Amino acid sequence: MHAKLVAISGPIRKSEFDVGSGAGIGSAKENAICLKDAGVSPQHCRVECVDGRFFVSDTGSQAGTFVNGIPIKRRELATGDEVTVGNSVFLFLAEEGRAEVSSALHLDEGPDVGMQVQQLRYEELRMLQPESLAALPAPERMARNLSVLLRISTGIGALRDAELLTWTLLGMVFDVIPAERGAILLMEGDGTEIGSHVAWDRVRGPDQPVHVSQSILRRVIGERVSILENAAEDPESGRDAEGQAAQSVLCAPLVAGERALGILYLDTKNPDTRFSADDLELLSAIAGLAAMGIENARQFERLKLENQQLRAETCLTHDMVGQSARMREVYQFIQRVAPSDATVLIQGESGTGKELAARAIHKNSARKDQPFVALNCAALTETLLESELFGHEKGAFTSAIAQKKGFLEVAEGGTIFLDEVGELSPILQAKLLRVLQEREFVRVGGTRPIKINVRFLAATNRDLQKWVKEERFRADLFHRLNVISITLPALREHKEDLPVLAEHFVARYAEKCNRAVKGISEPARACLMQYEWPGNIRELENAMERAVVVGTSEWILPEDLPDMLVETGASVEAGPAKYHEAIRRLKKELILNALEQAGGSITEAAKLLGVHGNYLHRLMRNLDLRAAAKKQTR
């Protein structure tokens, strides 16, 4: 007899296995279904056919075998049963069952007519009201329901995978409520769109869609109410897309706290197995438990992902400082690209830490034990740069008294970092392009090509794409360098890292200068936060070094900072800040008086003040006096 197990969840999802002649499941290689899972025993369970009937038997596993969420020792299987082994869930399909599992779902637009409707809110459940239990006409039925809920709670409480949980839950519900079709729909965002679903038609097969009414979905989600609909006597009412009468429908909301996670939907077209009010109450209770399980599983997956990211960042070797969202994106980028040998172009304003990022990529690569060589392309003339990069032969030019290896050779096996690569001359751009293409070069004055094995990292504070359009940079070289790129954020874009960075630099230079500095005072911190930092982290580092050197107290004070920072800083109601605000006001008055005497001429005002014109321009910009100067001119 033909039968199959189809994996619907787990590491081998969408795989299918023929079990018509029996099959073993376990972690040992000799099993027909081999699962590499810590929760699976070597000989976990076995499916076998006896007189045309299929049975699954647990063979002494440590974690147990489950059918529709219930632990078993031996159980007969029917088409649509779910077999859970470790973290994998299989659907059993016999004879007419088809192998492809589509988990199909179809949302019907039309309203349900001719249906008798009952509704129930979660807080109205009788099992939540102990005083009413004694008055129930069938206490044994209530005892059975409570036993079912305990079993389901135990079964889903240990699951940490949201998809595995939903499939297991659907199987458990099928085992206690006589439904022919079922679906679990999970919402996303604001709860108006379906994010994921599992659906199963036990009668027609796994590839047949389960139809869910849009009106029921909106009402259950919107009103947070469970609904039971039974067909009226009119045989033409309540028909689905295939024209077959939907005799009975159950639907319950999955609600966690104040948030609707989705719905649990069941229906049947068999008039002999219509759902009852007792089924409505049981499904509502199951949905309450399931919502907590799904929310816990989702939270576990979020924490697992966050933990993996934090572990990756912890394992990442770098000298960068900051934990803002922007900097964590940088760390994650480095973590992804470091293991490869791909060329990386690091872009960003001057002072954002491009060389630190390049060093971090090298330190976390397979080349970390080999040289890291950095060359600033803007610091040397074209002739010197070519000699430094490629090396030269003896006698290549007047001062070449001996052969010299270039940076490319020195970096053999490691990484070469070309800083400010946009400053390369057109001739050197062409030569660098050949090196990137052929991985070989010729020394200055030489004739023999030299093969190299290096990784290229490049950095620039220029807009190379714009330069390519303006034909100031070779397009082919840009594309060779821009295999993978990242733009480092300016300091003003992640100011939440500024206090940590400032304290880091203060501690570093206090140790170098052998000074006891406790930290940065609040007024000084306010000045730092108000400044825009056009020079980025490099400017911050220089400011903190200056503050440590010129400061005399155990705290960094506003007067220890560069004048530009204090002039642009906000006034703070503290003693030192009031002093600086008074100085700021006095400077404004002096400049405005000078402008008035000079008839609005900044050049003449600078002469009256005895300062350079450029300094007065900068001072007026920092003090926001441009508008006042225009008024003076009028």
Short mmCIF file of all heavy atoms in Angstrom, two decimals, residues 163-221:
data_model
loop_
_atom_site.label_atom_id
_atom_site.label_comp_id
_atom_site.label_asym_id
_atom_site.label_seq_id
_atom_site.Cartn_x
_atom_site.Cartn_y
_atom_site.Cartn_z
N GLU A 163 6.59 28.27 13.84
CA GLU A 163 5.98 27.49 12.77
C GLU A 163 5.70 26.06 13.25
O GLU A 163 4.61 25.51 12.99
CB GLU A 163 6.89 27.46 11.55
CG GLU A 163 6.26 26.73 10.37
CD GLU A 163 7.19 26.64 9.18
OE1 GLU A 163 8.40 26.82 9.37
OE2 GLU A 163 6.71 26.38 8.07
N LEU A 164 6.66 25.46 13.92
CA LEU A 164 6.46 24.11 14.46
C LEU A 164 5.28 24.11 15.44
O LEU A 164 4.46 23.18 15.44
CB LEU A 164 7.74 23.64 15.16
CG LEU A 164 7.67 22.30 15.89
CD1 LEU A 164 7.34 21.17 14.94
CD2 LEU A 164 8.98 22.02 16.61
N LEU A 165 5.18 25.15 16.25
CA LEU A 165 4.11 25.23 17.24
C LEU A 165 2.74 25.27 16.56
O LEU A 165 1.80 24.60 16.99
CB LEU A 165 4.31 26.47 18.12
CG LEU A 165 3.40 26.61 19.33
CD1 LEU A 165 4.11 27.38 20.43
CD2 LEU A 165 2.10 27.32 19.00
N THR A 166 2.60 26.07 15.48
CA THR A 166 1.29 26.20 14.84
C THR A 166 0.86 24.89 14.18
O THR A 166 -0.32 24.51 14.26
CB THR A 166 1.30 27.32 13.80
OG1 THR A 166 2.43 27.17 12.93
CG2 THR A 166 1.39 28.69 14.47
N TRP A 167 1.81 24.19 13.54
CA TRP A 167 1.45 22.89 12.95
C TRP A 167 1.07 21.88 14.04
O TRP A 167 0.09 21.14 13.92
CB TRP A 167 2.61 22.33 12.13
CG TRP A 167 2.68 22.84 10.73
CD1 TRP A 167 3.62 23.64 10.19
CD2 TRP A 167 1.73 22.58 9.67
NE1 TRP A 167 3.34 23.91 8.87
CE2 TRP A 167 2.19 23.26 8.52
CE3 TRP A 167 0.56 21.85 9.58
CZ2 TRP A 167 1.52 23.23 7.30
CZ3 TRP A 167 -0.11 21.81 8.35
CH2 TRP A 167 0.36 22.49 7.24
N THR A 168 1.85 21.85 15.11
CA THR A 168 1.55 20.92 16.22
C THR A 168 0.20 21.25 16.84
O THR A 168 -0.60 20.35 17.13
CB THR A 168 2.66 21.01 17.28
OG1 THR A 168 3.92 20.71 16.67
CG2 THR A 168 2.41 20.03 18.42
N LEU A 169 -0.08 22.53 17.03
CA LEU A 169 -1.34 22.95 17.61
C LEU A 169 -2.52 22.53 16.73
O LEU A 169 -3.53 22.02 17.24
CB LEU A 169 -1.35 24.48 17.80
CG LEU A 169 -2.65 25.09 18.29
CD1 LEU A 169 -2.99 24.59 19.69
CD2 LEU A 169 -2.57 26.62 18.26
N LEU A 170 -2.39 22.71 15.42
CA LEU A 170 -3.48 22.33 14.52
C LEU A 170 -3.75 20.84 14.61
O LEU A 170 -4.91 20.40 14.62
CB LEU A 170 -3.13 22.74 13.08
CG LEU A 170 -4.26 22.65 12.04
CD1 LEU A 170 -5.46 23.48 12.47
CD2 LEU A 170 -3.76 23.09 10.67
N GLY A 171 -2.69 20.04 14.69
CA GLY A 171 -2.87 18.60 14.84
C GLY A 171 -3.56 18.23 16.14
O GLY A 171 -4.43 17.35 16.17
N MET A 172 -3.22 18.91 17.23
CA MET A 172 -3.85 18.65 18.52
C MET A 172 -5.34 18.99 18.48
O MET A 172 -6.18 18.26 19.03
CB MET A 172 -3.17 19.48 19.61
CG MET A 172 -1.78 19.02 19.97
SD MET A 172 -1.06 20.12 21.22
CE MET A 172 0.33 19.13 21.76
N VAL A 173 -5.67 20.12 17.82
CA VAL A 173 -7.08 20.53 17.74
C VAL A 173 -7.88 19.51 16.93
O VAL A 173 -9.01 19.15 17.30
CB VAL A 173 -7.18 21.94 17.11
CG1 VAL A 173 -8.64 22.29 16.82
CG2 VAL A 173 -6.58 22.98 18.05
N PHE A 174 -7.31 19.03 15.83
CA PHE A 174 -7.99 18.00 15.04
C PHE A 174 -8.28 16.76 15.87
O PHE A 174 -9.25 16.04 15.63
CB PHE A 174 -7.13 17.61 13.83
CG PHE A 174 -7.22 18.57 12.67
CD1 PHE A 174 -6.16 18.74 11.81
CD2 PHE A 174 -8.38 19.29 12.43
CE1 PHE A 174 -6.23 19.60 10.73
CE2 PHE A 174 -8.48 20.16 11.36
CZ PHE A 174 -7.40 20.32 10.51
N ASP A 175 -7.43 16.51 16.85
CA ASP A 175 -7.57 15.30 17.65
C ASP A 175 -8.72 15.38 18.66
O ASP A 175 -9.19 14.36 19.14
CB ASP A 175 -6.26 15.02 18.38
CG ASP A 175 -5.98 13.53 18.50
OD1 ASP A 175 -6.12 12.83 17.49
OD2 ASP A 175 -5.64 13.07 19.61
N VAL A 176 -9.16 16.63 18.98
CA VAL A 176 -10.19 16.76 20.03
C VAL A 176 -11.49 17.38 19.51
O VAL A 176 -12.51 17.31 20.19
CB VAL A 176 -9.66 17.59 21.21
CG1 VAL A 176 -8.52 16.86 21.90
CG2 VAL A 176 -9.22 18.99 20.77
N ILE A 177 -11.45 18.00 18.31
CA ILE A 177 -12.66 18.59 17.73
C ILE A 177 -12.85 17.99 16.33
O ILE A 177 -11.92 18.00 15.53
CB ILE A 177 -12.58 20.12 17.65
CG1 ILE A 177 -12.47 20.71 19.08
CG2 ILE A 177 -13.79 20.72 16.95
CD1 ILE A 177 -12.34 22.22 19.12
N PRO A 178 -14.02 17.46 16.00
CA PRO A 178 -14.22 16.73 14.73
C PRO A 178 -14.32 17.66 13.51
O PRO A 178 -15.35 17.73 12.84
CB PRO A 178 -15.54 16.00 14.98
CG PRO A 178 -16.29 16.89 15.92
CD PRO A 178 -15.25 17.47 16.83
N ALA A 179 -13.23 18.35 13.22
CA ALA A 179 -13.20 19.26 12.07
C ALA A 179 -12.62 18.56 10.85
O ALA A 179 -11.75 17.70 10.98
CB ALA A 179 -12.37 20.50 12.41
N GLU A 180 -13.10 18.94 9.68
CA GLU A 180 -12.55 18.40 8.43
C GLU A 180 -11.46 19.31 7.87
O GLU A 180 -10.57 18.84 7.17
CB GLU A 180 -13.67 18.26 7.39
CG GLU A 180 -14.70 17.22 7.76
CD GLU A 180 -15.80 17.12 6.73
OE1 GLU A 180 -16.08 18.12 6.03
OE2 GLU A 180 -16.41 16.03 6.63
N ARG A 181 -11.55 20.58 8.18
CA ARG A 181 -10.56 21.53 7.72
C ARG A 181 -10.18 22.45 8.87
O ARG A 181 -10.99 22.71 9.76
CB ARG A 181 -11.10 22.40 6.56
CG ARG A 181 -11.07 21.73 5.19
CD ARG A 181 -12.09 22.33 4.27
NE ARG A 181 -13.44 22.14 4.79
CZ ARG A 181 -14.13 20.99 4.67
NH1 ARG A 181 -13.60 19.96 4.04
NH2 ARG A 181 -15.34 20.87 5.19
N GLY A 182 -8.96 22.96 8.81
CA GLY A 182 -8.53 23.89 9.85
C GLY A 182 -7.43 24.79 9.34
O GLY A 182 -6.72 24.47 8.38
N ALA A 183 -7.31 25.93 9.98
CA ALA A 183 -6.26 26.88 9.61
C ALA A 183 -5.93 27.75 10.82
O ALA A 183 -6.80 28.03 11.66
CB ALA A 183 -6.70 27.76 8.44
N ILE A 184 -4.67 28.13 10.91
CA ILE A 184 -4.22 29.12 11.89
C ILE A 184 -3.63 30.27 11.11
O ILE A 184 -2.66 30.09 10.36
CB ILE A 184 -3.19 28.53 12.87
CG1 ILE A 184 -3.82 27.39 13.68
CG2 ILE A 184 -2.68 29.61 13.81
CD1 ILE A 184 -2.86 26.68 14.61
N LEU A 185 -4.22 31.46 11.23
CA LEU A 185 -3.77 32.64 10.52
C LEU A 185 -3.13 33.59 11.52
O LEU A 185 -3.74 33.94 12.53
CB LEU A 185 -4.94 33.35 9.83
CG LEU A 185 -5.54 32.73 8.57
CD1 LEU A 185 -6.20 31.39 8.86
CD2 LEU A 185 -6.56 33.69 7.95
N LEU A 186 -1.90 33.98 11.27
CA LEU A 186 -1.20 34.92 12.14
C LEU A 186 -1.06 36.26 11.42
O LEU A 186 -0.66 36.32 10.26
CB LEU A 186 0.19 34.38 12.51
CG LEU A 186 0.20 33.05 13.27
CD1 LEU A 186 1.62 32.63 13.60
CD2 LEU A 186 -0.62 33.14 14.55
N MET A 187 -1.42 37.32 12.12
CA MET A 187 -1.42 38.66 11.53
C MET A 187 -0.07 39.34 11.77
O MET A 187 0.70 38.94 12.64
CB MET A 187 -2.54 39.51 12.13
CG MET A 187 -3.88 38.79 12.25
SD MET A 187 -4.47 38.06 10.70
CE MET A 187 -5.00 39.53 9.83
N GLU A 188 0.19 40.37 11.00
CA GLU A 188 1.42 41.14 11.18
C GLU A 188 1.09 42.63 11.16
O GLU A 188 -0.01 43.04 10.77
CB GLU A 188 2.43 40.83 10.08
CG GLU A 188 2.00 41.23 8.69
CD GLU A 188 3.06 40.93 7.65
OE1 GLU A 188 4.00 40.17 7.94
OE2 GLU A 188 2.93 41.46 6.54
N GLY A 189 2.08 43.44 11.57
CA GLY A 189 1.89 44.90 11.57
C GLY A 189 0.79 45.31 12.52
O GLY A 189 0.78 44.96 13.69
N ASP A 190 -0.17 46.06 12.00
CA ASP A 190 -1.27 46.56 12.83
C ASP A 190 -2.42 45.57 12.94
O ASP A 190 -3.50 45.90 13.42
CB ASP A 190 -1.79 47.89 12.28
CG ASP A 190 -2.24 47.77 10.82
OD1 ASP A 190 -2.15 46.66 10.26
OD2 ASP A 190 -2.69 48.78 10.26
N GLY A 191 -2.21 44.34 12.49
CA GLY A 191 -3.23 43.31 12.60
C GLY A 191 -4.23 43.30 11.47
O GLY A 191 -5.28 42.66 11.58
N THR A 192 -3.92 43.96 10.36
CA THR A 192 -4.85 44.01 9.23
C THR A 192 -4.43 43.11 8.08
O THR A 192 -5.20 42.89 7.16
CB THR A 192 -4.99 45.45 8.71
OG1 THR A 192 -3.69 45.92 8.31
CG2 THR A 192 -5.55 46.37 9.80
N GLU A 193 -3.21 42.59 8.12
CA GLU A 193 -2.71 41.74 7.04
C GLU A 193 -2.23 40.41 7.60
O GLU A 193 -1.69 40.34 8.71
CB GLU A 193 -1.57 42.42 6.29
CG GLU A 193 -2.01 43.68 5.53
CD GLU A 193 -0.88 44.25 4.71
OE1 GLU A 193 0.20 43.62 4.65
OE2 GLU A 193 -1.07 45.32 4.12
N ILE A 194 -2.42 39.35 6.81
CA ILE A 194 -1.99 38.02 7.22
C ILE A 194 -0.50 37.89 6.95
O ILE A 194 -0.03 38.06 5.82
CB ILE A 194 -2.76 36.93 6.46
CG1 ILE A 194 -4.26 37.04 6.77
CG2 ILE A 194 -2.25 35.55 6.82
CD1 ILE A 194 -5.12 36.12 5.93
N GLY A 195 0.27 37.59 8.01
CA GLY A 195 1.70 37.44 7.86
C GLY A 195 2.10 36.03 7.50
O GLY A 195 2.97 35.80 6.67
N SER A 196 1.47 35.04 8.12
CA SER A 196 1.76 33.64 7.84
C SER A 196 0.54 32.80 8.20
O SER A 196 -0.35 33.26 8.91
CB SER A 196 2.98 33.16 8.64
OG SER A 196 2.72 33.25 10.04
N HIS A 197 0.50 31.58 7.70
CA HIS A 197 -0.62 30.71 8.02
C HIS A 197 -0.21 29.25 7.84
O HIS A 197 0.75 28.93 7.13
CB HIS A 197 -1.81 31.02 7.12
CG HIS A 197 -1.62 30.55 5.70
ND1 HIS A 197 -1.02 31.33 4.75
CD2 HIS A 197 -1.93 29.36 5.09
CE1 HIS A 197 -0.97 30.66 3.60
NE2 HIS A 197 -1.52 29.47 3.79
N VAL A 198 -0.93 28.38 8.50
CA VAL A 198 -0.89 26.95 8.21
C VAL A 198 -2.34 26.52 7.98
O VAL A 198 -3.26 27.01 8.66
CB VAL A 198 -0.24 26.13 9.35
CG1 VAL A 198 1.21 26.52 9.52
CG2 VAL A 198 -0.98 26.33 10.67
N ALA A 199 -2.57 25.67 7.01
CA ALA A 199 -3.94 25.24 6.69
C ALA A 199 -3.90 23.80 6.22
O ALA A 199 -2.93 23.36 5.59
CB ALA A 199 -4.53 26.14 5.60
N TRP A 200 -4.98 23.07 6.52
CA TRP A 200 -5.01 21.65 6.18
C TRP A 200 -6.44 21.18 5.94
O TRP A 200 -7.32 21.44 6.75
CB TRP A 200 -4.38 20.83 7.31
CG TRP A 200 -4.28 19.36 7.01
CD1 TRP A 200 -4.98 18.36 7.60
CD2 TRP A 200 -3.44 18.75 6.05
NE1 TRP A 200 -4.63 17.15 7.07
CE2 TRP A 200 -3.68 17.35 6.10
CE3 TRP A 200 -2.51 19.24 5.13
CZ2 TRP A 200 -3.02 16.46 5.28
CZ3 TRP A 200 -1.85 18.33 4.32
CH2 TRP A 200 -2.10 16.97 4.40
N ASP A 201 -6.65 20.56 4.78
CA ASP A 201 -7.93 19.93 4.46
C ASP A 201 -7.74 18.43 4.60
O ASP A 201 -7.07 17.80 3.79
CB ASP A 201 -8.36 20.28 3.03
CG ASP A 201 -9.79 19.83 2.73
OD1 ASP A 201 -10.16 18.73 3.18
OD2 ASP A 201 -10.51 20.56 2.03
N ARG A 202 -8.35 17.84 5.63
CA ARG A 202 -8.12 16.42 5.93
C ARG A 202 -8.91 15.51 5.00
O ARG A 202 -8.65 14.31 4.95
CB ARG A 202 -8.51 16.15 7.38
CG ARG A 202 -7.80 17.03 8.39
CD ARG A 202 -8.31 16.80 9.80
NE ARG A 202 -7.80 15.57 10.37
CZ ARG A 202 -8.24 15.04 11.50
NH1 ARG A 202 -9.22 15.64 12.16
NH2 ARG A 202 -7.73 13.92 11.97
N VAL A 203 -9.88 16.06 4.28
CA VAL A 203 -10.74 15.23 3.43
C VAL A 203 -10.23 15.19 2.00
O VAL A 203 -10.02 14.13 1.42
CB VAL A 203 -12.20 15.76 3.46
CG1 VAL A 203 -13.08 14.96 2.52
CG2 VAL A 203 -12.74 15.72 4.89
N ARG A 204 -9.99 16.37 1.43
CA ARG A 204 -9.63 16.45 0.01
C ARG A 204 -8.13 16.44 -0.25
O ARG A 204 -7.70 16.27 -1.38
CB ARG A 204 -10.24 17.70 -0.61
CG ARG A 204 -11.77 17.65 -0.67
CD ARG A 204 -12.33 18.91 -1.28
NE ARG A 204 -12.07 20.07 -0.42
CZ ARG A 204 -12.29 21.32 -0.80
NH1 ARG A 204 -12.74 21.57 -2.01
NH2 ARG A 204 -12.06 22.32 0.02
N GLY A 205 -7.32 16.63 0.76
CA GLY A 205 -5.87 16.56 0.55
C GLY A 205 -5.17 17.87 0.83
O GLY A 205 -5.79 18.93 0.92
N PRO A 206 -3.85 17.82 0.92
CA PRO A 206 -3.07 18.98 1.35
C PRO A 206 -3.00 20.11 0.33
O PRO A 206 -2.70 21.24 0.68
CB PRO A 206 -1.67 18.40 1.57
CG PRO A 206 -1.63 17.20 0.67
CD PRO A 206 -3.01 16.64 0.68
N ASP A 207 -3.26 19.80 -0.96
CA ASP A 207 -3.16 20.85 -1.97
C ASP A 207 -4.48 21.59 -2.18
O ASP A 207 -4.57 22.49 -3.02
CB ASP A 207 -2.68 20.27 -3.29
CG ASP A 207 -3.62 19.20 -3.83
OD1 ASP A 207 -4.36 18.62 -3.01
OD2 ASP A 207 -3.62 18.95 -5.05
N GLN A 208 -5.51 21.22 -1.45
CA GLN A 208 -6.81 21.87 -1.59
C GLN A 208 -6.91 23.03 -0.60
O GLN A 208 -6.55 22.90 0.57
CB GLN A 208 -7.95 20.88 -1.30
CG GLN A 208 -7.99 19.72 -2.29
CD GLN A 208 -8.22 20.22 -3.71
OE1 GLN A 208 -9.07 21.08 -3.94
NE2 GLN A 208 -7.48 19.66 -4.66
N PRO A 209 -7.37 24.19 -1.07
CA PRO A 209 -7.40 25.35 -0.18
C PRO A 209 -8.47 25.24 0.90
O PRO A 209 -9.53 24.65 0.70
CB PRO A 209 -7.72 26.52 -1.14
CG PRO A 209 -8.45 25.87 -2.27
CD PRO A 209 -7.85 24.51 -2.43
N VAL A 210 -8.17 25.83 2.04
CA VAL A 210 -9.14 25.96 3.13
C VAL A 210 -9.74 27.36 3.00
O VAL A 210 -9.03 28.36 2.96
CB VAL A 210 -8.47 25.80 4.50
CG1 VAL A 210 -9.46 26.09 5.62
CG2 VAL A 210 -7.90 24.40 4.64
N HIS A 211 -11.08 27.42 2.88
CA HIS A 211 -11.77 28.69 2.66
C HIS A 211 -12.15 29.34 3.99
O HIS A 211 -12.76 28.70 4.85
CB HIS A 211 -13.03 28.47 1.82
CG HIS A 211 -12.72 28.07 0.41
ND1 HIS A 211 -12.68 28.97 -0.62
CD2 HIS A 211 -12.39 26.85 -0.12
CE1 HIS A 211 -12.37 28.33 -1.75
NE2 HIS A 211 -12.20 27.05 -1.46
N VAL A 212 -11.76 30.59 4.14
CA VAL A 212 -12.08 31.35 5.35
C VAL A 212 -12.81 32.62 4.92
O VAL A 212 -12.35 33.34 4.03
CB VAL A 212 -10.81 31.71 6.14
CG1 VAL A 212 -11.16 32.57 7.35
CG2 VAL A 212 -10.08 30.45 6.58
N SER A 213 -13.94 32.89 5.55
CA SER A 213 -14.74 34.06 5.22
C SER A 213 -14.06 35.33 5.73
O SER A 213 -13.64 35.41 6.89
CB SER A 213 -16.13 33.94 5.84
OG SER A 213 -16.81 35.17 5.79
N GLN A 214 -13.95 36.32 4.84
CA GLN A 214 -13.38 37.62 5.23
C GLN A 214 -14.21 38.27 6.34
O GLN A 214 -13.66 38.90 7.25
CB GLN A 214 -13.34 38.55 4.01
CG GLN A 214 -12.28 38.17 2.98
CD GLN A 214 -10.97 38.88 3.23
OE1 GLN A 214 -10.59 39.10 4.37
NE2 GLN A 214 -10.27 39.23 2.17
N SER A 215 -15.52 38.13 6.24
CA SER A 215 -16.39 38.77 7.25
C SER A 215 -16.16 38.15 8.63
O SER A 215 -16.13 38.86 9.64
CB SER A 215 -17.86 38.65 6.83
OG SER A 215 -18.24 37.28 6.72
N ILE A 216 -16.02 36.82 8.67
CA ILE A 216 -15.73 36.16 9.95
C ILE A 216 -14.38 36.63 10.49
O ILE A 216 -14.23 36.93 11.67
CB ILE A 216 -15.76 34.63 9.79
CG1 ILE A 216 -17.18 34.14 9.53
CG2 ILE A 216 -15.17 33.95 11.02
CD1 ILE A 216 -17.30 32.64 9.35
N LEU A 217 -13.38 36.66 9.60
CA LEU A 217 -12.03 37.07 10.01
C LEU A 217 -12.06 38.48 10.61
O LEU A 217 -11.51 38.71 11.69
CB LEU A 217 -11.09 37.03 8.80
CG LEU A 217 -9.66 37.54 9.00
CD1 LEU A 217 -8.96 36.71 10.06
CD2 LEU A 217 -8.88 37.50 7.70
N ARG A 218 -12.73 39.42 9.93
CA ARG A 218 -12.77 40.80 10.43
C ARG A 218 -13.51 40.90 11.76
O ARG A 218 -13.09 41.63 12.65
CB ARG A 218 -13.44 41.70 9.38
CG ARG A 218 -12.53 42.03 8.19
CD ARG A 218 -13.14 43.15 7.34
NE ARG A 218 -14.36 42.71 6.69
CZ ARG A 218 -14.42 42.21 5.47
NH1 ARG A 218 -13.30 42.08 4.76
NH2 ARG A 218 -15.56 41.85 4.92
N ARG A 219 -14.60 40.15 11.87
CA ARG A 219 -15.38 40.24 13.11
C ARG A 219 -14.63 39.64 14.30
O ARG A 219 -14.60 40.23 15.38
CB ARG A 219 -16.71 39.52 12.91
CG ARG A 219 -17.62 39.59 14.13
CD ARG A 219 -18.95 38.93 13.88
NE ARG A 219 -19.76 38.91 15.07
CZ ARG A 219 -20.90 38.27 15.19
NH1 ARG A 219 -21.38 37.58 14.16
NH2 ARG A 219 -21.59 38.30 16.32
N VAL A 220 -14.02 38.49 14.07
CA VAL A 220 -13.31 37.82 15.17
C VAL A 220 -12.12 38.65 15.63
O VAL A 220 -11.89 38.82 16.83
CB VAL A 220 -12.85 36.41 14.73
CG1 VAL A 220 -11.90 35.81 15.74
CG2 VAL A 220 -14.06 35.50 14.53
N ILE A 221 -11.36 39.21 14.65
CA ILE A 221 -10.20 40.03 15.01
C ILE A 221 -10.64 41.36 15.62
O ILE A 221 -10.10 41.81 16.63
CB ILE A 221 -9.32 40.29 13.77
CG1 ILE A 221 -8.61 39.00 13.34
CG2 ILE A 221 -8.30 41.39 14.04
CD1 ILE A 221 -7.54 38.53 14.29
#
